Amino acid sequence: MALQSMTGFARREGTSGRWRWAWELRSVNGKGLDLRLRLPPGLERMEAEVRRLAGESFSRGNLQASLSVTADENRFEAVLNRQALAAVLAMREQLDGIIDPSPLKLDTLLLVRGIVEFREGEDGEEALAARDADIAAGLLAALSDLRAMREQEGSALTRILHDHVATIEGLTRAIEADPSRSPQEIAARLAAQVAALMDGMAALDRDRLHAEAALLATKADLREEIDRLKAHVAAARDLLVKDGPAGRRLDFLAQEFNRESNTICSKSNASAVTAAGIELKVVIDQFREQVQNLE
């Protein structure tokens, strides 16, 4: 499975019998998978299945899923209240000889409240099962569409991240090749610093001063940071070509990139290295910003 972003949208709609349904899915960035579900009354039983399918499709992102179901046509049926009708007929017998003895007509009975009620007709179990199956199939299609959109955006992000990694690698190589890190340059710089300290201070121990200067130079060496940056570059490229979620691991690498660039800037004793370190931090920030969109 290709890298996915965490943002996407999908909508699927269809009909089943007299029912019209529509799934709408929206996904944005999130630390984990957070599903917010909105189902119409009577279909709450689908929640467990929806959560299961969403969990199988995605591992991260704030996901909103809503289902709407409407009936294209209303079916009404008349329900006779026989007890109310019997009461009316009994009253009519009691009033025999007082009121018109002709048979009661239907329109007369309809005017009596409670004798006939109209309600929406209920679908049979088979029809409801067919509708629920169509809705479930629609959910699978919507999840597939959402995954395709997230993968498409993930591919675009992957290309951007590869460019950022290449830039980080280039800046790392530039720092490594900077003339200020050559043994000759370091020796000349140390000699100048020692000479400045010794000027007018003959009491200082020259050998001890050279040893201290050499120790400081060792602490200021950028070899370890450069080697770790190269290792992080290789790890990032490996994650970018692997299948499956990689957002969290790439985010961790971004933190490590940032740690090394901070150390390089603090150790640097050359303007060119400092400038490259600052540029490195800018690219790393851009890298991390994009990584946080990945699943």
Side-chain angles (χ1 to χ4, degrees):
M1 185 168 60
L3 292 179
Q4 295 183 28
S5 77
M6 287 187 284
T7 58
F9 173 82
R11 178 182 172 85
R12 281 279 181 155
E13 57 186 23
T15 58
S16 180
R18 70 187 183 95
W19 300 97
R20 176 173 292 279
W21 53 265
W23 280 105
E24 197 165 285
L25 308 179
R26 300 172 186 269
S27 175
V28 296
N29 293 358
K31 292 183 178 178
L33 178 61
D34 182 14
L35 174 62
R36 298 182 180 181
L37 188 58
R38 181 179 298 174
L39 296 172
L43 290 175
E44 294 86 353
R45 61 182 180 281
M46 300 185 68
E47 179 174 351
E49 182 66 6
V50 175
R51 291 189 180 280
R52 185 184 68 80
L53 292 173
E56 290 178 354
S57 300
F58 310 111
S59 63
R60 291 182 69 195
N62 289 323
L63 179 62
Q64 296 182 8
S66 62
L67 170 66
S68 62
V69 179
T70 57
D72 281 347
E73 59 181 57
N74 293 324
R75 293 177 180 173
F76 290 101
E77 60 183 11
V79 179
L80 176 63
N81 187 333
R82 295 185 178 278
Q83 293 181 342
L85 177 60
V88 171
L89 294 176
M91 178 181 292
R92 185 176 183 280
E93 289 181 2
Q94 293 175 10
L95 297 175
D96 187 26
I98 301 176
I99 62 173
D100 184 0
S102 59
L104 291 174
K105 296 181 179 179
L106 177 60
D107 53 352
T108 303
L109 290 174
L110 291 176
L111 293 175
V112 180
R113 178 179 298 180
I115 290 184
V116 179
E117 295 179 351
F118 292 92
R119 66 185 181 188
E120 188 172 356
E122 296 181 354
D123 292 278
E125 292 184 2
E126 186 176 347
L128 291 176
R131 182 200 64 179
D132 292 353
D134 289 340
I135 291 175
L139 174 62
L140 286 174
L143 288 170
S144 178
D145 291 346
L146 181 62
R147 184 167 56 251
M149 184 174 182
R150 287 173 47 142
E151 287 179 352
Q152 184 178 8
E153 188 168 340
S155 297
L157 289 176
T158 301
R159 290 193 292 273
I160 294 172
L161 290 172
H162 273 298
D163 290 343
H164 287 328
V165 171
T167 304
I168 292 171
E169 183 181 39
L171 289 169
T172 302
R173 292 190 184 282
I175 293 171
E176 184 179 29
D178 190 86
S180 66
R181 296 191 63 253
S182 68
Q184 296 79 6
E185 181 68 22
I186 294 173
R189 189 166 57 247
L190 285 175
Q193 292 172 347
V194 170
L197 288 172
M198 294 297 297
D199 186 23
M201 301 180 67
L204 290 176
D205 184 335
R206 179 177 295 273
D207 293 338
R208 178 65 182 274
L209 195 57
H210 276 87
E212 293 292 337
L215 180 61
L216 290 174
T218 301
K219 289 182 177 179
D221 186 63
L222 303 177
R223 184 72 263 162
E224 289 185 10
E225 288 74 20
I226 290 171
D227 288 344
R228 281 197 287 267
L229 280 174
K230 287 181 176 180
H232 297 336
V233 164
R237 283 181 170 146
D238 188 47
L239 287 173
L240 288 173
V241 298
K242 280 187 174 178
D243 293 336
R248 290 183 188 278
R249 285 173 287 179
L250 286 169
D251 187 57
F252 172 76
L253 277 181
Q255 296 177 42
E256 293 303 304
F257 275 135
N258 194 51
R259 189 199 311 275
E260 305 306 338
S261 65
N262 283 335
T263 306
I264 287 175
C265 288
S266 65
K267 284 185 174 180
S268 171
N269 50 23
S271 58
V273 173
T274 301
I278 292 173
E279 189 176 353
L280 195 57
K281 287 172 63 65
V282 172
V283 178
I284 290 169
D285 283 344
Q286 295 170 347
F287 176 82
R288 188 177 188 187
E289 184 177 348
Q290 296 297 346
V291 161
Q292 290 176 344
N293 294 317
L294 283 178
E295 182 182 35

